[in-house]
Amino acid sequence: DEVPFGPGTYRVGTGAGKPDEFTVVASFFRDPSQLWVPETGAQIVIDRFDTSGASGSFDVPMRRQNPDGSAGTGSIRFSGSFSVTCHSGARCQRS
């Protein structure tokens, strides 16, 4: 219900449970105790979302967070685009 078929722009949050947010958390093998969480302004843009698939883009600036929840040092940015084709079947139908 929160991500209906069709285009839209959605915030990327830290997992606070808001129904209108996507969640991203990243950890790397080099030091898995260090988490990266989205900065304010992170978003995903859905240009197409229908029974044939979905496409869009994302821009997610992130900052390091220590295991105790305090801010770490460092920042990274994930950005790109996606295009996913849905093959025929029940999973491609709007429920």
Side-chain angles (χ1 to χ4, degrees):
D1 292 337
E2 290 83 16
V3 183
F5 272 177
T9 299
Y10 299 90
R11 292 176 299 191
V12 175
T14 57
K18 296 179 181 177
D20 61 344
E21 282 187 343
F22 281 74
T23 301
V24 174
V25 177
S27 177
F28 300 97
F29 291 113
R30 182 174 174 199
D31 185 358
S33 67
Q34 290 288 323
L35 297 177
W36 296 84
V37 296
E39 293 275 15
T40 302
Q43 68 178 13
I44 182 171
V45 177
I46 298 175
D47 297 319
R48 180 182 56 85
F49 183 29
D50 56 30
T51 58
S52 66
S55 63
S57 60
F58 54 91
D59 182 43
V60 185
M62 301 182 89
R63 63 179 161 73
R64 185 175 284 184
Q65 179 177 298
N66 295 318
D68 65 3
S70 64
T73 58
S75 62
I76 57 176
R77 179 177 225 108
F78 290 104
S79 59
S81 60
F82 60 92
S83 180
V84 180
T85 300
C86 189
H87 301 285
S88 62
R91 291 184 173 159
C92 296
Q93 304 306 311
R94 184 176 185 175
S95 56

